[in-house]
Amino acid sequence: MAAQVQRMSRLMVKTLRDDPADAETLSHKLLVRAGYVRRNAAGIWSWLPLGKKVLENVTRVVREEMDAIGAQEVLLPALLPKEPYEITGRWDEYGAELFRLKDRKGAEYLLGPTHEEIFTQLVKDQCSSYKDLPVILYQIQTKYRDEARPRSGILRGREFQMKDSYSFDTTDEGLAESYALHREAYIRIFRRLGLDHRIVSAVSGAMGGSASEEFLAPAAAGEDTFVHCPSCDYAANTEAVTYVAAAPEAVDHPAVELLDTPDTPTIETLAEHLGVPASATLKNLLVKVDGEIVAVGVPGDREVDLGKLADHLAPAQVELVTAEDFTGRPDLVRGYVGPQGLDKVRYLADPRIAAGTSWITGANEEGKHARHVVAGRDFEIDAYVDVVVVEDGDPCPKCGTGLKLDRAIEIGHIFQLGRKYADAFQLDVLGQNGKPTRVTMGSYGIGVSRAVAALAEQTADEKGLCWPAEIAPADVHVVAAGKAVQIELALEVADQLAAAGLRVLVDERPGVSPGVKFTDAELIGVPTILVAGRRSAEGVVELKDRRTGEREELPVAEAVARLRGV
Amino acid sequence: MAAQVQRMSRLMVKTLRDDPADAETLSHKLLVRAGYVRRNAAGIWSWLPLGKKVLENVTRVVREEMDAIGAQEVLLPALLPKEPYEITGRWDEYGAELFRLKDRKGAEYLLGPTHEEIFTQLVKDQCSSYKDLPVILYQIQTKYRDEARPRSGILRGREFQMKDSYSFDTTDEGLAESYALHREAYIRIFRRLGLDHRIVSAVSGAMGGSASEEFLAPAAAGEDTFVHCPSCDYAANTEAVTYVAAAPEAVDHPAVELLDTPDTPTIETLAEHLGVPASATLKNLLVKVDGEIVAVGVPGDREVDLGKLADHLAPAQVELVTAEDFTGRPDLVRGYVGPQGLDKVRYLADPRIAAGTSWITGANEEGKHARHVVAGRDFEIDAYVDVVVVEDGDPCPKCGTGLKLDRAIEIGHIFQLGRKYADAFQLDVLGQNGKPTRVTMGSYGIGVSRAVAALAEQTADEKGLCWPAEIAPADVHVVAAGKAVQIELALEVADQLAAAGLRVLVDERPGVSPGVKFTDAELIGVPTILVAGRRSAEGVVELKDRRTGEREELPVAEAVARLRGV
């Protein structure tokens, strides 16, 4: 099967020598400079010919592996009626992230950010018996999210390509199996794409459900942080890390002692005033949980992750307190709160505030702190909550080794949703026992356009993009140095390679210097560069490996044979 | 290459015996009943597994033929910023048909109905020299139009799949060539799809530009009407038909005579009162053109096509007159207008009102008409306009034979846009002469999802869908009658066919009667049905051609060999 030869002189690709002014990440810079994508508006991008080829290659791999696990491809609309999202409450929950619009009759619609509701309705309509299940449905589709800060090029767009799939089972075991099928398919997909990735535990957040893992592609440009253990196989989204507190040594602590600490309303000022490390102090953050003031105690050197706290307390609404909340509350002395005086306030604490540990904390009096305040002796903890921001070196919950913190791009996510959506839509099928059985669901996503950016991030070097073979826009980039004999040879080799089924890009642009052509070839990042250069008259070409830079001169026939073997 | 075997027991397809209540057209009924598509909201549809396969097959054919003419595939966003559409005025011109929305910052966007503006901007950004042209860019993408009356299933959706392409040339000859390339590609595409089609002249309407042709698929469910000549090759969109008036015989008409015609404000009442055919009367329609009252004269038995009239007078705004417009205009006697008294009003007329023809028309007096009112003698015509609704039997403008009027579905449209959009965006490239040269454009569309419906309309029969081979969701539909030996044989044959590269659907559903399976197979419409029935034990199967109904019993090996040869 002869593949096509694409001539650079005809291809709409305009390479740039300089990075676009607004680009921060490597993939953004290079994909724009190499002419793969072009920005239309904030977070809204066009895929140009080279970019479309790469996107299509990623799509093909995803489709093949989804088909391989028996998933059935469908295509649902992106423009969706409001009603199903009202039923689940997500019409409101999504907040400003949802693109909403009205049609000519005033009916309300949204642009789908994810399709759980619509798939649930679909299966309710199509499946009536346990015999119709399990079923896995997927689509590769344009999705919409009105990100507050669309940036990093196609890494985080407002319109983007996603593979989303949904599994429907009658039993928990069935769901576990559908989940496992996806997990394996995702591993195969990311391996084929050449994406270095980690599978980490994740909290499922607003999606609800039980088991959930993220597929992360480590990359400096990543917006996600994850931890992994250098000693064991533990890895997790930072929001999912759990802290296992060691039991403190039994120590006879002195009695509580009051300290005069004027003008020390913050941990920094307090630690400096007393000449102690921040970790010796106990910080008490006040928040409102469904309007009720609650205190959260963490060591003074740690930060509370408000997202984690919100997830922990969901569905309750969590807000920070404001100055007004202190009026009429003489028990709450702003900047000098200590748990030993909080009789009327629920007290949550980090597991590090274990019973028997001793702290310097507020004395509930303006300008005063207290030391030797011992958990369990001087104050009670209503509940332990794991809500501090994870830091490099925190102990691995599996083996205790210091965890490493790294940045990554989320490229996939698999969820065991359970019956949340099935409950919302009363999705039952007739069970084997003849009774209606509530269906249990999974939801699984791959950021297809984001995977392109992640691949670019992981594989690019200082010269430009550097695609893995299966994803590259071509197999071989043939460069004709410039003279007639070189151009002739380049076109001839290109035809031979195409006849052998290889996808070939040939740079035969007249009037473009060899230097520019070489630079462009390295920027565009096709795995093999074949140069018809100074030995063209002898029929000798140069093969260059884009990644390693290794070069070799070979007669044409040998070069073609070598590439056919690839 | 082994293709897949799709088991009906695992496929999400729920066939229905009854037509959906809201369905009017054959394709709508059958695509829903056979489980290809499902409605989410007015004009918004989901493609289920079988439908997605058909849609994908059509997409593949379109892509291959676009690639073959050197067109380059891109993917532009569907969510588009307002500004470029303001520059061309289409933000307003589109009226209620455009889906508009705001993002979280209040910036205005639209969902793209067609992408001329965005492609023009893209080429302005990417191409700077005549050497970069010609270029043809295409995308296969989801489009949005807020139709006033979305109906007929996927024939006229509000979200739909379209292939749109755009050509950019520096010369008119280049544009003509790009246009011709598309015309040929479209013919190949529709031939491969098995779509019976006609190419008709079209007026380009709001798109502007010079040459324009439509590809129409004749079908009773079509929303377009076109004419074709039974004698010559003439065919046209009804809006593009031109009338060639024969010169009237020179006759000495009597002088104008006043008739007393009380209570005859309409042609019907007048013709009945006088006992003459409506065609002997002259109807004078008053309209406002940019606020000025203008009269349009047509024979009394013909209707004015207001769309044609608007196109003819564009960019002027055309409105019908209302009762208020007659106040202060004693020269305009409502219901009794005649051109012989319209000195202050511009008079446009159908070419049938040729100089020397005589008419019965209003006498510009309440309750009075006049006869022997002769064009050119008793009144002057300011301009001839070809704006009557075409009727069956109207003369062919090429050969004079009576035209046939038929309904069709518009499946493609090709336009020579010219420089309208290039002017709006100042799209120039450096010409061969070293000077800036304005680019000339073409715009070309194929309704990809609509083509699926058109195919269904043209090929279905009373038993169900009946797909052409290249488009069908499978090559063979294997039906296992029901017994274990039949199911075993069916699965074995299915595997053999798949190993030979055929796409196979096998109906091995336990507990489903053979009758239901046969009915479903005919409804689903795969070209060949292979039945493992009563002679399964002998290894004999039945091959049935879905279209012709021809059946033949064959040993398995022969049946497989036969189908491999297809």
Side-chain angles (χ1 to χ4, degrees), chain A residues 10 72 104 109 158, chain B residues 10 72 104 109 146 158:
Chain A
R10 309 254 174 89
Q72 300 178 50
R104 61 161 75 211
Y109 289 82
R158 297 199 291 170
Chain B
R10 307 254 175 89
Q72 301 178 48
R104 61 160 75 212
Y109 289 82
D146 196 357
R158 298 198 291 169

Side-chain angles (χ1 to χ4, degrees), chain B residues 273-296:
Chain B
H273 180 87
L274 296 177
V276 298
S279 59
T281 70
L282 173 60
K283 176 157 72 179
N284 303 289
L285 180 78
L286 297 180
V287 292
K288 277 193 294 184
V289 179
D290 279 348
E292 174 208 349
I293 289 182
V294 168
V296 182

Side-chain angles (χ1 to χ4, degrees), chain B residues 120-191:
Chain B
T120 308
Q121 287 187 319
L122 173 61
V123 168
K124 187 176 164 78
D125 183 56
Q126 298 283 314
C127 301
S128 53
S129 157
Y130 71 94
K131 291 179 197 163
D132 298 331
L133 301 186
V135 65
I136 299 174
L137 300 170
Y138 80 99
Q139 58 176 349
I140 297 169
Q141 198 213 27
T142 307
K143 293 278 192 283
Y144 296 87
R145 286 183 198 161
D146 196 357
E147 299 280 351
R149 283 171 297 280
R151 53 178 168 168
S152 309
I154 54 168
L155 261 184
R156 187 171 286 274
R158 298 198 291 169
E159 172 175 316
F160 55 98
Q161 303 298 312
M162 192 169 148
K163 186 286 298 174
D164 50 329
S165 49
Y166 306 87
S167 66
F168 298 85
D169 285 272
T170 47
T171 63
D172 293 348
E173 297 71 37
L175 169 57
E177 199 172 311
S178 295
Y179 183 88
L181 280 173
H182 274 90
R183 198 176 193 277
E184 292 307 312
Y186 277 33
I187 292 170
R188 280 191 298 271
I189 287 167
F190 295 128
R191 272 198 196 136

Side-chain angles (χ1 to χ4, degrees), chain A residues 10-12 14 38 44 46-47 49 72 74-79 103-104 109 125 144 146 158-159, chain B residues 10-12 14 38 44 46-47 49 72 74-79 103-104 109 125 144 146 158-159:
Chain A
R10 309 254 174 89
L11 187 69
M12 194 184 67
K14 182 182 162 189
R38 178 177 176 272
I44 298 176
S46 290
W47 294 82
Q72 300 178 50
V74 296
L75 180 62
L76 270 52
L79 180 63
D103 73 0
R104 61 161 75 211
Y109 289 82
D125 183 57
Y144 296 87
D146 196 358
R158 297 199 291 170
E159 171 174 318
Chain B
R10 307 254 175 89
L11 187 69
M12 195 184 68
K14 181 181 163 191
R38 177 176 177 273
I44 299 177
S46 290
W47 294 83
Q72 301 178 48
V74 296
L75 180 62
L76 269 52
L79 180 63
D103 73 1
R104 61 160 75 212
Y109 289 82
D125 183 56
Y144 296 87
D146 196 357
R158 298 198 291 169
E159 172 175 316

Side-chain angles (χ1 to χ4, degrees), chain A residues 324-524:
Chain A
E324 291 164 19
D325 293 313
F326 289 88
T327 35
R329 292 296 299 258
D331 59 327
L332 301 177
V333 184
R334 203 174 185 193
Y336 299 90
V337 171
Q340 67 282 17
L342 295 182
D343 300 338
K344 298 181 202 149
V345 172
R346 191 148 61 101
Y347 193 71
L348 309 178
D350 181 70
R352 290 168 185 83
I353 322 298
T357 54
S358 170
W359 304 91
I360 298 168
T361 191
N364 302 305
E365 260 183 73
E366 184 72 27
K368 305 269 185 198
H369 279 85
R371 69 174 162 192
H372 309 312
V373 181
V374 176
R377 184 190 75 180
D378 304 315
F379 64 93
E380 294 303 319
I381 289 163
D382 294 305
Y384 282 107
V385 291
D386 212 341
V387 296
V388 298
V389 174
V390 176
E391 290 178 11
D392 210 271
D394 274 356
C396 170
K398 276 179 82 171
C399 75
T401 308
L403 291 169
K404 285 271 296 167
L405 213 60
D406 270 315
R407 299 196 75 76
I409 299 162
E410 186 188 331
I411 47 175
H413 205 151
I414 53 179
F415 286 107
Q416 290 193 22
L417 286 175
R419 297 183 172 78
K420 175 178 168 177
Y421 290 90
D423 285 343
F425 292 95
Q426 283 119 50
L427 171 57
D428 294 328
V429 293
L430 195 70
Q432 246 175 312
N433 58 6
K435 291 180 187 162
T437 304
R438 184 74 17 122
V439 170
T440 182
M441 290 170 56
S443 159
Y444 317 89
I446 287 180
V448 172
S449 42
R450 182 182 283 182
V452 173
L455 258 173
E457 288 288 341
Q458 286 190 344
T459 59
D461 59 25
E462 70 286 352
K463 291 174 187 159
L465 298 164
C466 193
W467 301 106
E470 185 147 7
I471 302 312
D475 297 308
V476 187
H477 190 137
V478 178
V479 174
K483 292 182 196 146
V485 60
Q486 295 163 335
I487 292 174
E488 220 168 276
L489 184 65
L491 293 174
E492 193 191 308
V493 175
D495 282 342
Q496 287 182 30
L497 292 169
L502 292 163
R503 300 165 302 140
V504 185
L505 192 62
V506 57
D507 193 347
E508 31 59 277
R509 287 175 292 175
V512 175
S513 79
V516 168
K517 289 178 182 169
F518 296 145
T519 309
D520 278 350
E522 300 204 294
L523 178 60
I524 288 170

